[in-house]
Structures are given as C-alpha cells and as structure tokens.
Amino acid sequence: MRLALAQYPIERPASIAAWRDKLDAWIARTGDAELLVLPEYACVELGVALCGREGDAAGEIAAVREAGPEIVATLRDCAMRHGCWLLGGSLPVRRGNATVNAAPLIAPDGRIAWQDKHRPTRFDAGPWSLSAGAPPGVFDTPWGRIGIAICYDVEFAPLVRVQVEAGAWLILVPTCTDTVAGFNRVRLAARARAIENQCLIAIAPTVGSAPWSAGLDTNRGYAAVFGPCDRGFPEDGVLARGAMDAAQWVHAALDPAVVTRVRDDGDVRNHADWPSAVPAAQPHGFA
C-alpha cells in the first residue's frame, strides 16, 4: 500500500467549489499514492463561508452538516477523478435526531463506507452538540482489512482492539487537536495501540492558525505511521513522520505481511498475549 497522510492546512475557502479546487490541487501532489487520508474536520474550514459569520462554533458545524451531501459528493468526485482511495476526513452527519462526527472512506469507483466517532470529546459534545456514534467497524480493501479510529477514539484501547480482533492490520486516525498536549495524547495513544496490538497506526492532523474560525482556530500536530518496537521495525516504532505544524503530505509504503511476521515471530507477542479478561483489582495488605 502506498499511503499518503495529509498535514492539512486550515484555510478560508469561499465556497464548496473553491474547496474542491483546493482538494484537487492537494491530491494532485500525492503522486502514485493509493490511499489518501485527510484529517478530522478538514471540511469544517468551510464553516464560516457557509454560515456567513465568524465566531459562531455552533453555526459553523450546523452549516457544514446541512451542506454535508454536497461536501461528500465533492469528496467522492475527487476520489473518482484521481483514481484513489480517500478517507475524506470527517464531518457532522445526522443519525436520526442526533448529529455525529463521521468519516467517509471512499473507493475509486465511488462506493462509500462510514465510520462514526464513537466517543465525542468535551468540545464535540459541548459547543458542537455532537453525540456518540456507532461502535468501531472494519473495512475490506485491496490491501486487507483496515479500521478507522477518529481522534479521541484512539485513546481508548478497547475501541481499537475490537477492530484488530476483527482482522484490521492498519488503523487510520484522522485527528484535529488545538494544543501540543492534545496532539501528544493522540500521538502517544496511537503508539501504544501499535505496540499492544502489533499493528500499524497512521495519524493525519489539521495544521495552522485560523482565527476567523471558532472551531478550528488553532491546529497542531504532524502526520506519522507507528508500528511495534520489534523485529522488522525501527527501534522506536516510527515508520514515517512529518514536520511539526507544516502543511505537507507524509508518504509511507506499507505491507500487511510485516504485521503477520511480527505477530508470529516478534521478540514479544502482545497481540496473542492480550488478556481475554482482567479481574478487578483488589487492595493488598502490608505485613
């Protein structure tokens, strides 16, 4: 798999048509990459243009939600035009009476599958009134089965573990964090998930300053691919990474066979040794 992860700069497109042109220009720079990953909330940079005012977090997210079908159609057209698999970041989507944060995975032939963010953050549930989404799932691709864990979800080991147990060798993590501390929570959680599951985890963030946006005003991070610190991998488990806060694509060539090999013959066997059940901790007395 030739993977491209966007360190995607939040800007101020004036319309969905202008945003499409930005996507086209960005995708054209990925060369022969086969699977492209945009970050969480990438399309929310449209919020101010769509709601017509600055400083209104709820208005931005509501406007993007209402324009969701046109935004997804734009992402779909880009994937088909460029002949690539595209994880189109994430956007607010109606689920009955609720709104959730959901990521569309788009095939080159235009088919779309969705992964919701299962656990909203305080900001998601507060100013943006987003609800908990559906549980984690997995996706069959030409390179095998993969999973998606949107930002905060990667910080919870069981959410990623169920995807790995369902056959995922790679977990894609579109993310949006406004502080270095927030980015480090996602980054370090992703590295832990890669070690404990002996799998690959790829993160892709928003970057840049956008003071006109109430929701995406500050964006910190870098894209990276993490694996286990074990045989066949770099000693620190970092397969690729970008420059902090820079607008760029980060490329990596990934092979699911390396995951099979390390699970079969690694120095340790975290994947196989995952405990099926852990009893409740009991207080120990001192003699």
Side-chain angles (χ1 to χ4, degrees):
M1 171 196 290
R2 296 186 298 275
L3 179 69
L5 305 168
Q7 295 183 190
Y8 184 83
I10 296 303
E11 297 171 336
R12 193 171 183 171
S15 64
I16 293 177
W19 185 67
R20 179 201 61 215
D21 292 342
K22 176 182 177 179
L23 288 180
D24 270 335
W26 261 75
I27 292 173
R29 290 158 46 190
T30 61
D32 63 352
E34 299 168 301
L35 173 58
L36 282 52
V37 181
L38 298 177
E40 179 186 34
Y41 296 135
C43 67
V44 177
E45 67 178 347
L46 284 164
V48 171
L50 293 175
C51 79
R53 57 191 177 275
E54 298 181 10
D56 183 354
E60 289 176 24
I61 206 71
V64 173
R65 181 190 62 205
E66 295 310 307
E70 186 177 356
I71 290 170
V72 173
T74 299
L75 290 164
R76 180 177 181 268
D77 289 346
C78 283
M80 295 176 69
R81 188 162 54 253
H82 292 274
C84 63
W85 286 75
L86 177 63
L87 175 55
S90 73
L91 68 156
V93 175
R94 291 188 186 276
R95 296 276 190 267
N97 294 324
T99 300
V100 304
N101 181 19
L105 179 61
I106 307 169
D109 61 7
R111 290 173 296 134
I112 303 177
W114 291 86
Q115 176 62 62
D116 293 354
K117 187 175 187 177
H118 187 57
R119 300 299 302 172
T121 64
R122 293 178 67 185
F123 185 87
D124 292 331
W128 280 357
S129 300
L130 299 175
S131 299
V138 291
F139 306 86
D140 290 316
T141 74
W143 311 280
R145 191 164 281 183
I146 67 173
I148 299 168
I150 302 175
C151 199
Y152 194 42
D153 280 357
V154 81
E155 297 182 33
F156 299 94
L159 298 183
V160 173
R161 183 63 187 182
V162 295
Q163 294 175 310
V164 171
E165 289 180 341
W169 65 277
L170 169 67
I171 307 295
L172 304 176
V173 183
T175 184
C176 176
T177 49
D178 63 353
T179 63
V180 174
F183 169 66
N184 281 329
R185 285 194 297 271
V186 173
R187 177 182 67 89
L188 295 173
R191 297 187 73 172
R193 303 296 83 81
I195 290 169
E196 67 200 14
N197 292 293
Q198 293 182 301
C199 69
L200 303 184
I201 309 282
I203 62 175
T206 52
V207 298
S209 176
W212 57 85
S213 172
L216 300 179
D217 53 342
T218 306
N219 303 269
R220 306 299 307 274
Y222 59 75
V225 181
F226 304 120
C229 306
D230 210 324
R231 295 178 187 175
F233 292 88
E235 290 185 341
D236 61 1
V238 180
L239 282 74
R241 64 153 287 180
M244 186 72 177
D245 298 338
Q248 66 179 109
W249 285 102
V250 173
H251 295 264
L254 306 181
D255 183 354
V258 300
V259 171
T260 300
R261 285 196 294 269
V262 76
R263 288 176 179 175
D264 289 343
D265 193 32
D267 289 330
V268 290
R269 302 190 68 196
N270 302 76
H271 175 263
D273 289 339
W274 184 278
S276 58
V278 180
Q282 300 297 322
H284 292 300
F286 293 89

